[in-house]
């Protein structure tokens, strides 16, 4: 295909380039025939440049331009000149290119939607025609940011002496936690590989192998029923260090985010980040990923209700639950309907109900005031810092359930009161540390690891780990920005005995330990160094940098929430021959 | 785990550091009790440092050191001093660290093999204990090189304005060429994803989407019966450019290798690389990936045998085959046995036989001399530049078969004559270009694409493509180093009509085209720019840089040729429950 190759791009020409002879390659955005002049906006990755044809001086070119339509690919040759009507909104808005010649390189049918940002096309159509959707400036911008994130990652970790190592995608299935995607083996019929949920064990083995510092931008897979912000495959920046303690991992990570925010957003973020224990985050914000850009803190009012006659509260106190209160500042004017909505939300999160106290015009108004003494109410107002016009929302339940409900209400109030809107350009980084190591799963009657089974207990909780594992804390940390978890990690167990004890607590028999994790327990026998690391959610970080809540806006070819790729129609049926080769058949359809 | 953290590593201490107080962390390589002195070699990622204990001045420490064994992890504190007996082979060989204290951080059982390079442990054991094998200095060195390759790739393509984009691992199965690995979908039962054999269509779609310059270090998968230099998953540096011609892709690639060889081996390689057509490479070297570090070229002697009475040759000439000759320099002394071995090899590559002419002491000795005229023999000697002492090996057959056989013999002669040994530290880069576009598959009675179905014909062969597609050439190029293909690429088809014609030639009906590639044909409708690119075999490049022929030496966790991971024992059986969830069952075992 012969065509004149560009010597400039559509984003770079300025007033200083006046009189320069240029050749541009790109896509026709629009053609406007103004009678006296014909304007063509030409687009490439770098921007948009206005081309102009003067029919009076170049009638053939003007005639030829009648052929041009949106999304045609052309080369265009001409001379840069200053515009008569500059457009200050466009970087190239002070100039235009007076065309000498152009040719069509490739034509385009009429696209199903226009290549502009303010698009109300439904997402289904956008995903089907992803090749066109990706041309939109917003998406191009998102992938520019995503690219910068990769580059910062490469540079930062190389500078800190990390080795980039690839770990396998075809690995062993060890069903713990989420569901594995399986890959049938043809050579070894009846056997399966699994796609990694994370390279956790491989990176720990690399530490045991003496690599000391490992980084990988790793593809990970989880066969979950998808939520709107999940994808079956996602990417994490996977990091592991030997002979490191938690402080070093945190400091390294902070440096990474500092460089990233500077390079991408030109923002200076303060390090070190605030560190908050899980306990504090739950008690104050009702969340293990608190959004610290605004207040609306919770208060523990249990102590003020020790002697209460109100049965809901006294029952909670008796069963060692908590009575916690969110002061919804300046919300005393909420209507009955508003409060009913909040109550619904509280129930959705598992609350049995929602109590409230309005404090307005110096007076208290509450359906539960008749059950409380004046002193109790006065203490509650004092404890929560209630002022005239505030609305107090109270949940009494098992501790973490009550706190979680109030955490959800806190975010809802922030949304309703447009607080999130006000803080949307701020970034508040923090670490949440000292998570519980284990949770007891009532249903399965066994412990499950809150992070994963390779997380070390805190040094000072090692005895608890053996004696009262349910209250031992993990040497684990999550990084949280604006209420979203961007990643998490831990110092790992590097002693075989502790790892075996952990597996035991999780209900794995000796045999299961060996069949599932035998090689790893083996590896721990031969001089495993102390080590720890972190995994950062790359897609989520790009979303944060781009300010989008839609994960599909930062992944080039995403799947829908039903795991479909609407562009190429996968997953799809395969030929019987392929299944035969794999030694498989489909179960009868129900 | 409390331990004293290093303030120096085991590879960096020199004479200048004498008297420095250091703390080291690492693995005990060896402990040697010399009576008067105890020596401990301590190893970490950066090297080896000798620690020394003087029992006379520090009897407690000497006693404690009795506990130490190979592969124990320790911290060690002491003062750097010059060695009495320097070891000039070790970077740290001029110093040692006189220990003040140490503690064991973690113990090790006796490893199944020693952590040294000169190891005759079988590979099976090395792969099973991969966590120990990876500690060996050679493998550590290979992964250092692999890491450098990643860094050069990131830097080079970022500098040239490429966007790094991730394409999906879960994609659509389009059985063309090699076999896909399949991934059953649980949410969409009876349907399957496939793992990518390459991101080919995605990268082309990114060009159609206006990304202009794309790079990705991409995991690719092929479910082939493995050869010793193949792995079911492998890595390629995947590159695509819009508005580019072949020259630009080649130049860009040359710059990459120039930087890589400089950064890793500190070698200056000459660019541009030699370019050779496929035709020339086959005629002169009998290979489309010729090793140009040595001569031993083939000569076409067909023209000198036009009137021959020797039926083997005249039959070949009649059926438009070729008679080609390899001058095995200075091999006239080969025994009957040697020549029988070569004949065996020729037959393995499909030859019906191997003719030979020895030229020694001014005389010709050959089993076929009685069939040839003196003029014919004299012309053959002249054409092949035969000198006293040379051995001529002659194959007459269909053109590319005869040439391929002689290409294999050429390499065998180079091995036998120790020529490969002599040139092993040289690197000879070249491009092979103008490949045939299609090959006719007699068995399936259809064309197959020599590269892949998205490769454009050469501009000047576009008419041939429609009229005599079997002789049309591709706008494709392979990069070859020392007889190995490091990668290949092409300018792609960007016009829908040509792509449809290509699919038609490959025997795809309209319906098949749409069910398999409909979305891609659609994408070509909306203004596809001219584009092309290349894919470089990352594993093979590392092998070349490391000088190893074993692909498992450059992949952290490789599979065996039967697709097994001996370390973790995958692939493995999965629980029936998992298969049920996927709507699958195993076929009965035969």
């Amino acid at each position: 295909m012969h065509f004149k190759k560009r010597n400039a791009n559509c984003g770079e020409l300025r007033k200083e380039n006046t009189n320069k002879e240029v050749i541009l390659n790109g896509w026709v955005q629009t053609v406007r025939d103004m009678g006296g002049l014909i304007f063509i906006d030409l687009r490439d990755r770098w921007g948009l440049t206005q081309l102009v044809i003067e029919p009076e001086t170049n009638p053939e070119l003007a005639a030829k331009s009648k052929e041009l339509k949106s999304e045609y690919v052309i080369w265009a040759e001409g001379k840069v000149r200053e515009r008569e009507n500059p457009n200050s909104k466009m970087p190239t808005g002070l100039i235009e290119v007076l065309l000498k010649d152009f040719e069509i390189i490739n034509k385009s049918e009429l696209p199903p939607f226009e290549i502009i940002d303010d698009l109300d096309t439904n997402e289904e159509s956008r995903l089907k025609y992803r090749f066109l959707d990706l041309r939109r400036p917003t998406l191009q911008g998102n992938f520019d940011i995503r690219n910068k994130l990769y580059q910062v990652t490469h540079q930062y970790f190389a500078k800190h002496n990390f080795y980039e190592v690839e770990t396998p995608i075809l690995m062993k299935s060890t069903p713990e936690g989420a569901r594995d995607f399986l890959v049938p083996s043809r050579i070894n019929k009846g056997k399966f590989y699994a796609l990694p949920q994370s390279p956790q064990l491989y990176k720990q083995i690399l530490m045991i192998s003496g690599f000391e510092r490992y980084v990988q931008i790793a593809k990970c897979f989880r066969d979950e029923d998808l939520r709107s912000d999940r994808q079956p495959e996602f990417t994490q920046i996977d990091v592991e260090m030997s002979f490191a303690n938690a402080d070093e991992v945190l400091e390294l990570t902070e440096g990474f985010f500092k460089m990233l925010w500077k390079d991408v957003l030109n923002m200076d973020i303060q390090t070190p980040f605030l560190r908050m224990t899980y306990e504090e985050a739950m008690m104050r914000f009702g969340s293990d990923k608190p959004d610290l850009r605004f207040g609306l803190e919770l208060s523990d009012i249990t102590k003020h209700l020790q002697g209460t006659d109100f049965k809901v509260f006294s029952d909670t106190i008796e069963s060692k639950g908590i009575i916690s209160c969110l002061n919804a500042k300046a919300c005393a004017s909420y209507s009955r309907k508003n409060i009913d909505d909040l109550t619904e939300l509280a129930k959705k999160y598992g609350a049995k109900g929602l109590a409230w106290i309005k404090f307005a015009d110096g007076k208290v108004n509450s359906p539960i005031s008749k059950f409380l003494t004046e002193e109790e109410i006065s203490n509650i107002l004092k404890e929560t810092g209630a002022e005239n016009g505030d609305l107090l929302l109270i949940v009494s339940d098992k501790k973490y359930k009550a706190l979680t409900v109030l955490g959800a209400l806190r975010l809802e109030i922030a949304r309703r009161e447009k607080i999130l809107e006000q803080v949307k350009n701020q970034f508040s980084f923090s670490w949440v540390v000292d998570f519980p190591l284990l949770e007891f799963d009532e249903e399965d009657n066994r412990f499950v690891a809150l992070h994963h089974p390779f997380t070390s207990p805190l040094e000072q909780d090692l005895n608890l780990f053996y004696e009262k594992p349910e209250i031992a804390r993990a040497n684990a940390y999550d990084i949280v920005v604006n209420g979203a978890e961007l990643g998490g990690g831990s110092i790992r167990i590097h002693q075989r005995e502790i790892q075996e004890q952990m597996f035991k607590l999780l209900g794995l028999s000796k045999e299961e330990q060996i069949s599932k994790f035998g090689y790893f327990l083996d590896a721990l026998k031969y001089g495993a160094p102390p080590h720890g690391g972190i995994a950062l959610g790359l897609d989520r970080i790009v979303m944060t940098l781009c300010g989008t809540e839609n994960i599909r806006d930062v992944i080039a070819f995403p799947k829908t929430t039903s795991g479909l790729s609407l562009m190429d129609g996968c997953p799809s049926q395969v030929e019987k021959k392929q299944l035969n080769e794999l030694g498989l058949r489909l179960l009868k359809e129900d």
Side-chain angles (χ1 to χ4, degrees), chain A residues 470-519:
Chain A
E470 64 277 13
I471 60 165
R473 287 163 303 166
N475 199 348
Y477 29 82
D478 277 1
I479 183 164
V480 175
V481 177
N482 299 355
E485 183 206 321
L486 296 193
S490 62
I491 297 303
R492 325 298 183 184
I493 297 169
H494 71 282
Q495 286 139 313
R496 186 179 158 115
E497 319 77 70
I498 300 182
Q499 188 64 67
E500 286 175 330
Q501 173 66 12
M502 175 61 95
F503 286 145
K504 198 173 134 192
L505 288 171
L506 301 178
L508 289 178
S509 70
K510 272 274 175 222
E511 293 68 35
E512 285 171 312
Q513 292 184 31
I514 285 170
S515 81
K516 288 183 177 172
F517 300 109
Y519 69 101

Side-chain angles (χ1 to χ4, degrees), chain A residues 137-264:
Chain A
T138 303
L139 286 198
Q140 291 268 325
N142 290 355
F143 288 94
D144 184 19
I145 287 179
R146 191 169 174 121
N147 177 58
K148 287 196 180 115
L149 169 53
Y150 293 128
Q151 304 317 320
V152 169
T153 307
H154 300 324
Q155 289 164 30
Y156 183 80
F157 289 97
K159 194 178 73 187
H160 286 86
N161 249 308
F162 281 73
Y163 273 165
E164 193 173 335
V165 182
E166 284 178 81
T167 55
I169 297 292
L170 297 173
M171 62 170 281
K172 183 182 169 80
S173 176
T174 46
E176 282 293 303
R179 231 181 249 105
D180 287 330
F181 278 106
L182 296 181
V183 183
S185 166
R186 179 181 56 84
I187 303 178
N188 304 281
K189 284 199 188 44
K191 297 191 173 177
F192 293 79
Y193 302 101
L195 304 182
Q197 296 184 25
S198 97
Q200 184 63 33
L201 285 181
Y202 289 115
K203 69 174 174 176
Q204 291 193 235
I205 283 176
L206 287 173
M207 296 305 101
I208 295 173
S209 298
F211 279 78
E212 306 243 6
R213 297 188 150 213
Y214 145 93
V215 68
Q216 183 182 199
I217 296 182
K219 268 283 171 73
C220 304
F221 305 84
R222 275 177 211 174
D223 187 9
E224 292 174 296
D225 297 310
L226 302 178
R227 301 201 310 251
S228 70
D229 65 340
R230 291 287 178 91
Q231 287 281 309
E233 56 182 294
F234 55 97
T235 307
Q236 66 189 34
I237 301 170
D238 200 45
V239 175
E240 197 76 8
M241 305 163 76
S242 290
F243 302 110
N245 53 30
D247 283 347
E248 279 176 277
V249 181
L250 268 50
E251 199 182 309
L252 177 92
T253 308
E254 288 166 348
F256 170 70
F257 279 99
K258 195 175 181 70
M259 175 168 168
L260 183 61
W261 251 247
K262 186 70 189 175
D263 271 29
V264 177

Side-chain angles (χ1 to χ4, degrees), chain A residues 50 127 161 166 259 342 382 403 548 586:
Chain A
Q50 176 168 295
L127 289 175
N161 249 308
E166 284 178 81
M259 175 168 168
L342 295 175
K382 211 180 295 166
L403 295 172
T548 177
L586 300 181

Side-chain angles (χ1 to χ4, degrees), chain A residues 487-583:
Chain A
S490 62
I491 297 303
R492 325 298 183 184
I493 297 169
H494 71 282
Q495 286 139 313
R496 186 179 158 115
E497 319 77 70
I498 300 182
Q499 188 64 67
E500 286 175 330
Q501 173 66 12
M502 175 61 95
F503 286 145
K504 198 173 134 192
L505 288 171
L506 301 178
L508 289 178
S509 70
K510 272 274 175 222
E511 293 68 35
E512 285 171 312
Q513 292 184 31
I514 285 170
S515 81
K516 288 183 177 172
F517 300 109
Y519 69 101
F520 182 66
L521 289 171
D522 261 4
L524 288 176
K525 284 196 304 203
Y526 296 105
H531 61 286
I534 195 163
L536 302 169
L538 189 141
D539 307 301
R540 169 60 64 178
I541 297 173
V542 184
M543 287 165 68
T544 306
L545 288 166
C546 296
T548 177
E549 283 301 314
N550 185 348
I551 193 172
R552 290 177 295 281
D553 281 352
V554 300
I555 291 179
F557 301 103
K559 308 279 191 296
T560 65
T561 46
S562 351
L564 305 175
S565 165
L566 299 182
M567 182 180 77
D568 58 16
C570 80
S572 55
Q573 276 158 359
V574 297
E575 292 164 22
K576 187 136 196 198
K577 177 170 158 256
Q578 289 175 277
L579 290 184
N580 281 339
E581 285 180 339
L582 297 172

Side-chain angles (χ1 to χ4, degrees), chain A residues 27-43 48-55 61-62 65-66 68-70 74 76 81-87 90 92-99 102:
Chain A
W27 285 260
V28 172
Q29 178 84 15
T30 50
V31 186
R32 282 161 296 142
D33 188 342
M34 313 293 276
L37 292 171
I38 298 165
F39 293 107
I40 301 161
D41 278 348
L42 193 70
R43 190 189 69 235
L48 213 59
T49 293
Q50 176 168 295
L51 314 178
V52 62
I53 299 173
E54 295 176 341
L61 209 61
S65 75
K66 299 252 182 285
L68 288 179
K69 292 184 184 143
S70 286
I74 65 170
R81 70 179 189 189
E82 281 190 55
R83 281 204 209 179
E84 274 186 33
N85 300 305
N87 177 347
M90 287 172 68
T92 63
L94 299 185
I95 59 94
E96 61 192 7
V97 175
L98 178 65
L99 281 200
F102 77 85

